[in-house]
Amino acid sequence: MKTGEISSRSPEETLALAGRFARALKGGEIVFLRGPIGAGKTVFVKGVAAALGLKSSPTSASFSLMKEYKNKRNRLFHIDLFRLEEGEVFNLGFEEMLEDERAVILAEWPDPIRHMLPADRLEMDFILKEGDDRVIQLHSFGRVSDALLEELCKAAKN
């Protein structure tokens, strides 16, 4: 496991950071996003989607649980499990998501699916500070997510 920490001073900075991070995505990556409501998780997802060239802009998936965004080259699954327990998530189609090698999975409030997805994942904990400032703590588990963590830390320095 590798760890890192980056900061963002505004939603615009979070969008830009996510856009630079998205350039490292090849498909098959899983990213867990945690933090209180309003911490910037969905803003980060929007930045990734825009950088991948996806036409629709993600919104909070809280009421639909999962949204899929795709174009000819990329596929993004945005999952929000805020109100669910582990036993309630079996019918969301994770097997199909995992079979698509070009799919990127971004899961907010991921604890109910933690044991259902492969162990290689990047975890991002969004921590609110004063005003629009956020600290994002990073934890990677596996070779693919280790490389993503390094790319995200590099993106934060640019």
Side-chain angles (χ1 to χ4, degrees):
M1 175 178 78
K2 291 187 177 185
T3 62
E5 186 172 284
I6 57 178
S7 60
S8 173
R9 292 179 185 84
S10 68
E12 294 78 20
E13 198 171 301
T14 300
L15 282 169
L17 176 67
R20 291 189 301 272
F21 168 72
R23 294 182 198 130
L25 299 173
K26 297 174 179 74
E29 296 90 357
I30 300 169
V31 181
F32 288 177
L33 304 138
R34 287 193 203 86
I37 292 171
K41 300 178 302 293
T42 302
V43 170
F44 188 86
V45 174
K46 286 176 184 260
V48 169
L52 293 177
L54 303 171
K55 301 257 185 250
S56 298
S57 180
T59 58
S60 177
S62 292
F63 297 104
S64 62
L65 303 180
M66 179 180 66
K67 292 185 179 181
E68 177 185 358
Y69 304 92
K70 62 183 176 178
N71 60 21
K72 290 181 181 179
R73 290 186 327 270
N74 300 297
R75 189 173 187 189
L76 171 68
F77 289 102
H78 178 207
I79 304 165
D80 189 324
L81 303 173
F82 179 60
R83 293 176 177 82
L84 294 185
E85 299 294 326
E86 187 171 338
E88 298 175 300
V89 298
F90 287 105
N91 296 322
L92 290 179
F94 292 123
E95 295 81 16
E96 293 82 17
M97 282 186 252
L98 295 172
E99 289 172 4
D100 187 342
E101 295 176 357
R102 66 184 179 130
V104 173
I105 300 170
L106 302 179
E108 295 186 42
W109 308 94
D111 290 332
I113 59 170
R114 170 183 290 279
H115 304 294
M116 296 176 197
L117 296 176
D120 195 329
R121 68 191 180 279
L122 177 64
E123 296 186 2
M124 302 175 68
D125 292 302
F126 289 71
I127 300 165
L128 293 169
K129 296 293 184 183
E130 301 240 349
D132 285 336
D133 289 356
R134 276 108 176 93
V135 169
I136 305 169
Q137 294 177 340
L138 309 168
H139 306 277
S140 61
F141 300 88
R143 186 181 51 79
V144 171
S145 61
D146 286 349
L148 286 178
L149 183 144
E150 290 174 17
E151 286 299 320
L152 192 51
C153 289
K154 277 189 227 174
K157 292 178 183 175
N158 293 332

